[in-house]
Amino acid sequence: MQTAGLDVCSFSAGEPDFDTPPHIRAAAVRALEEGKTRYGPAAGIPALREAIAHKLRQENGLTYSPEQVMVSNGGKQTLYNLMMVLLDPGDEVIIPAPYWVSYPEMVALTGATSVILPTTEAQGFKITPAQLQAAITPATKLLVLNSPSNPTGSVYTPAELAALGEVIEPHNFYVISDEIYEKLVYDGATHVSLGSLSPHLLERTLVSSGFAKAYAMTGWRIGYLAGSRSIIQAATNLQSHSTSNICTFAQYGALAALVSPESPSAIEAMRKVFEERRRVMVEGLAGIPGLTCATPMGAFYAFPNIQATGLKSLEFCSRLLHDHQVAAVPGLAFGADDYIRLSYATDLDTIQKGLYRLEKFVQSL
C-alpha cells in the first residue's frame, strides 16, 4: 500500500525507529578496518562473552562465568537453540498468554507440547502462583517468562516474581527468562531477573537477551543465552553445526554497547522518547469509546481490548488497514483474539494521526 503511494500509519513494528548509537557503529567500522572479518568461536568472541557475564553479575545479580554464555544470531536463535537441546516429545512447556508469537512454534518444532496459561487485563497479563501451580505436571520441562512482555508491555514486580519463585523452587523444571526489553521500563518499574532470587532458581533459570531493543540494533542480529554450563555447551554444539559463529565484526559493536561509557545515556535518551510516546498512545486509546487498554509498564507496545467492537482481531486489523490505512498486529498471533498490538516505536505525528483514524474506524462499526 505504501509502495502504491498510500499514507499508512504503521503500528506494527517490533523494533526501535532509532539509528544504532554512533559509538557502537564506530566500533564495528574499526573492527572491519582492523581485519576482524574471519571465522570466530561458535559461542562468540571471548571478550564479548566476558562482558556479558560481567553485565549479568553487575546489573542482574546473576553469577555466570563467560563459559556459561553463548552469543547467537539474535534472541530468537538463543530461544530456538535452547528448546532444541532441552525438549523432547512428551515434554510440556508452560507459556503464559498473551505470548510472543514464536514461543509455541519453537516448542512444536521439538515435538514437545505447549501448555498455555491465559491471563487477563484485570490481572495485568501476568500469571498467578496458583495458575502456575495448577499447570505443573511430571512432564513439565520448561516455563517461559517474558518480562517486560511482548505484546502486552507487562512487567512482573519483584514481589510477583518472588511468589512465582516459591512455586518453582520445589521442582526441577527449567525457566527461560526472556529479558530482551529489560532496559525499557516506565513509571518507576524495576526489572528483576528470576535467577537472582535464590541459588536453586539461578541453577534452573536460563536468560535470553540481546542488543536489539535497548541499543536499536535489531538488524545486527546479536543475542545471548546464559545459564547451565551443560545446556550452554549443548546449545553451542548445535549452533556450531547450524549457523556457526555470529558476524565477527558486529560482535565488536556489541562489545562497545556493553563497555562504552556512552551507552547508558544513549539508552536513557531513547527510553525517555518511548515513555512520552507511550503517554500519548495510552491517553489516546483511553479516549476511544469501545476500547480499553492496560497501561504498559515496559517495552514499546500497547495491547488494547477490542471485544466491545464485536470484531475479532484479524478482521479488525484487516478492515482498519484497508479502510483507514492503519497497520496493527492481530492479537490472535499472540493467543489473544480480543486484542490488537500497537507499537509506539514510531514518531508522535504518526501516533496521533493513527489514533485519530483508529477512533474514526471504531465509530463506524
Side-chain angles (χ1 to χ4, degrees):
M1 290 171 71
Q2 288 174 331
T3 302
L6 291 174
D7 175 28
V8 178
C9 295
S10 180
F11 295 146
S12 60
E15 62 178 341
D17 56 322
F18 301 101
D19 291 331
T20 304
H23 67 283
I24 298 173
R25 304 198 308 264
V29 170
R30 281 196 304 273
L32 273 169
E33 292 174 341
E34 292 168 3
K36 294 183 170 70
T37 57
R38 300 182 183 278
Y39 289 135
I45 59 173
L48 180 54
R49 295 172 76 193
E50 172 61 49
I52 292 168
H54 178 77
K55 179 264 180 203
L56 291 170
R57 285 193 301 271
Q58 295 296 114
E59 295 185 11
N60 304 98
L62 303 171
T63 53
Y64 295 128
S65 68
E67 292 72 32
Q68 292 177 273
V69 175
M70 178 193 72
V71 183
S72 62
N73 289 288
K76 182 175 285 190
Q77 190 183 22
T78 69
L79 294 163
Y80 177 77
N81 285 352
L82 168 68
M83 293 189 187
M84 290 300 291
V85 302
L86 187 64
L87 302 176
D88 291 304
D91 289 337
E92 293 179 352
V93 180
I94 298 173
I95 303 176
Y99 46 72
W100 180 55
V101 295
S102 292
Y103 295 147
E105 303 300 336
M106 291 176 180
V107 172
L109 288 169
T110 71
T113 301
S114 293
V115 177
I116 306 299
L117 298 190
T119 64
T120 66
E121 202 174 333
Q123 68 192 88
F125 298 114
K126 293 179 275 190
I127 58 169
T128 66
Q131 270 186 299
L132 177 58
Q133 184 66 67
I136 296 170
T137 74
T140 301
K141 190 68 168 287
L142 182 67
L143 164 66
V144 179
L145 279 182
N146 176 210
S147 176
S149 162
N150 175 6
T152 67
S154 62
V155 178
Y156 284 89
T157 67
E160 289 167 340
L161 276 182
L164 293 179
E166 290 179 7
V167 175
I168 297 165
E169 282 274 9
H171 301 279
N172 286 317
F173 60 81
Y174 289 93
V175 181
I176 178 65
S177 182
D178 185 347
E179 304 182 4
I180 192 73
Y181 292 96
E182 66 170 307
K183 294 186 181 295
L184 300 177
V185 291
Y186 316 106
D187 292 346
T190 16
H191 168 75
V192 174
S193 293
L194 179 71
S196 68
L197 299 181
S198 79
H200 180 71
L201 289 173
L202 177 64
E203 182 182 324
R204 306 304 295 182
T205 300
L206 297 106
V207 173
S208 172
S209 192
F211 299 83
K213 313 300 183 178
Y215 300 95
M217 294 174 66
T218 51
W220 294 61
R221 307 311 301 142
I222 306 179
Y224 57 85
L225 182 70
S228 158
R229 192 181 297 261
S230 61
I231 292 176
I232 294 301
Q233 184 58 60
T236 299
N237 290 343
L238 173 62
Q239 186 160 289
S240 74
H241 291 296
S242 55
T243 60
S244 195
N245 69 281
I246 314 313
C247 175
T248 305
F249 56 85
Q251 292 184 68
Y252 287 90
L255 179 60
L258 288 180
V259 304
S260 171
E262 298 173 73
S263 289
S265 59
I267 292 171
E268 179 59 13
M270 287 188 279
R271 191 201 67 81
K272 284 183 175 178
V273 172
F274 283 134
E275 189 165 39
E276 173 61 13
R277 293 171 176 177
R278 181 192 69 136
R279 181 191 65 78
V280 173
M281 177 72 83
V282 171
E283 288 180 0
L285 289 169
I288 301 177
L291 301 184
T292 61
C293 185
T295 300
M297 301 300 288
F300 38 69
Y301 309 107
F303 203 60
N305 187 325
I306 62 168
Q307 188 173 24
T309 69
L311 299 179
K312 292 299 185 180
S313 64
L314 195 59
E315 183 182 359
F316 186 100
C317 288
S318 179
R319 290 174 59 178
L320 177 63
L321 176 61
H322 290 287
D323 297 345
H324 292 267
Q325 288 78 58
V326 176
V329 184
L332 178 63
F334 309 103
D337 206 9
D338 288 326
Y339 295 82
I340 62 172
R341 192 192 75 174
L342 303 174
S343 168
Y344 48 88
T346 188
D347 62 274
L348 283 174
D349 286 344
T350 298
I351 292 172
Q352 290 165 337
K353 183 165 55 174
L355 286 170
Y356 174 79
R357 294 178 183 181
L358 175 60
E359 182 173 14
K360 293 298 180 187
F361 171 63
V362 173
Q363 288 173 345
S364 72
L365 297 176

